Amino acid sequence: MKSILIKRSLISLFIGLSFITRTLVGADGNEVLSRLTLSDVFGFLAILFGLSSIIMGFKRIKQYSFLPEATLLTILLFFMPILFSYNKLATFLESGIILFLFLISILIFETYKDHFKEKLVPLLIYTFLGASILGYYDLFAGLLGFPRIFTGRTAGEPLSGFKNAGQAGAYFLIFITMLVPVRFSKLFQKLSMSNKRVLNISLFAGIIFLLLTAKIAAYVGLVSGFFLFFLWNRKFKVLLGSAVFIIIGILLFPSLKEIMPQTYDRITYKYQNRIIDNIYEGPDEFFEDNYGAAIQAFEERPLIGSGIGAFFQSYHENEVHSTYLKMLGETGLLGTLGYVIFVVSFIKLFLKANLKRSDNEYMDYLRVVTPFIIGCFVSWAYTYHFRKREFWILVAVVLIANYCARQQVLNKKLEENEVPETL
């Protein structure tokens, strides 16, 4: 019992601190330690205490999904060409990080598979609200000259515990993807009254914060998710409410210039630079160089690419700003094949829930989460998600919802087949 509590506490701390991406050692320090965050420390400790749970979770998931094998195959295909990588250490670290996060997701599954709505969902809600509150505090503290909790990078940039607003936008998109479906599925009725209120508050605060990050890829993912949700579910009340929200936001946006001029300038600059200029003047020079270099890496070594993590400095001063081009440029056809197999096995987890309506609240959650995950896949055409903590938390959430849905169906069949005793 004591070891279970320790393991659950450590994994809860990993999730609860996942939005703090400031590393424990500066970027100019050790290659390994300069990537380590406080959340990772608790994650490593959780793995040490939960090795048996990881093995049990792996076996349990294998009974209904190919995802564990697909993930290990993908990591293997990333790691195999390490001897030919342009940066062997970078490839080793990148593959190791993905393996670490995969093990964490299995551990989250095994820890919370029987406590999804009672413990995991509230943990996600309060983590999201905490990230938002700290972000708002630092944003306004910077404007008013008060001491900040996390140091800022540029004036008016909403960061919370992230290194930059781009990271914040991508993280908030994933949490919105996990929590909006809780609000609009049958699962919402299973929450306590206090958790319902906090969920509503956290979603409102989190969506506003995401909009302030000026992360255009997150905007696109969010809008795509909501649009598909309305299209598939015909939730006209939600559509009307969202339309009113958007109209009020547009009307109030000019007022932001008076309240937070730096944030206003940043959003308008990003909108002009990322959308308007690209539409009327053609692709941005950065994207042309970055994407062009990824295609060049693939053309030069189509089978293995540059080696995952080795594109940076070998071809460009930044890593590839697209998951899909990163797969091609850094892992070639081998790694891309592994990634495709992983994605297919991941999608199959919530595919069945969309084939028919069900009173099963977990099945309903999987159905509602589908359009938002598709929105994320759209967003990932510009960002890289595979080594992000929040993505593997999402994977664990989908695995748990799928497991709970199956358990509920099984229990219902057992009840229906139970023969009553005759007197």
Side-chain angles (χ1 to χ4, degrees), residues 19-20 22 130-162 209 260 263:
F19 66 92
I20 302 176
R22 313 293 180 97
S132 301
I133 290 173
L134 291 177
Y136 282 121
Y137 172 81
D138 276 343
L139 180 60
F140 286 105
L143 296 171
L144 299 173
F146 295 155
R148 297 171 60 107
I149 297 173
F150 299 104
T151 57
R153 192 178 65 147
T154 59
E157 185 179 29
L159 290 179
S160 193
F162 302 94
F209 192 84
M260 296 184 288
T263 304

Side-chain angles (χ1 to χ4, degrees), residues 40-75:
D40 296 329
V41 172
F42 290 113
F44 278 116
L45 292 173
I47 289 175
L48 290 177
F49 276 93
L51 285 174
S52 60
S53 295
I54 292 171
I55 295 170
M56 289 177 62
F58 191 94
K59 291 178 179 178
R60 207 183 307 269
I61 296 166
K62 276 178 60 179
Q63 295 174 2
Y64 65 86
S65 173
F66 184 64
L67 186 75
E69 295 96 325
T71 307
L72 290 179
L73 173 64
T74 304
I75 295 170

Side-chain angles (χ1 to χ4, degrees), residues 265-276:
D265 290 341
R266 189 173 184 278
I267 294 173
T268 52
Y269 167 76
K270 287 277 188 177
Y271 175 74
Q272 179 72 33
N273 181 259
R274 295 288 189 266
I275 298 179
I276 301 300

